[in-house]
Amino acid sequence: AAATKGWDRAHGSPDEFPYASTAQGGADSTVVGVSLQAQRKQGGMLSTFYRKNDVKIGDWFEVIAVG
């Protein structure tokens, strides 16, 4: 993804928000380093959300941060 180009992996695996899989994701995303395990877990959860909620390309959905 454009937001992670040139990412220094010494800072962890690059994780971006908005997600690269969304229309809002991309070059202007916020990127932070996370463990590869955390990134894979989040990616799996996001994929499951898309599938269970029948989210298709172009569909709108809301992300609410909790915690």
Side-chain angles (χ1 to χ4, degrees):
T4 61
K5 185 175 180 158
W7 178 261
D8 181 354
R9 296 220 178 245
H11 299 290
S13 184
D15 192 32
E16 62 185 277
F17 186 84
Y19 310 117
S21 60
T22 66
Q24 292 81 13
D28 293 328
S29 296
T30 298
V31 180
V32 296
V34 298
S35 71
L36 188 56
Q37 179 183 8
Q39 188 178 50
R40 287 181 176 160
K41 181 178 180 180
Q42 177 185 333
M45 292 171 70
L46 189 57
S47 294
T48 298
F49 168 79
Y50 289 157
R51 187 176 56 256
K52 285 187 173 183
N53 293 282
D54 198 29
V55 176
K56 304 287 188 223
I57 294 173
D59 287 352
W60 287 78
F61 63 92
E62 184 176 17
V63 175
I64 300 172
V66 177

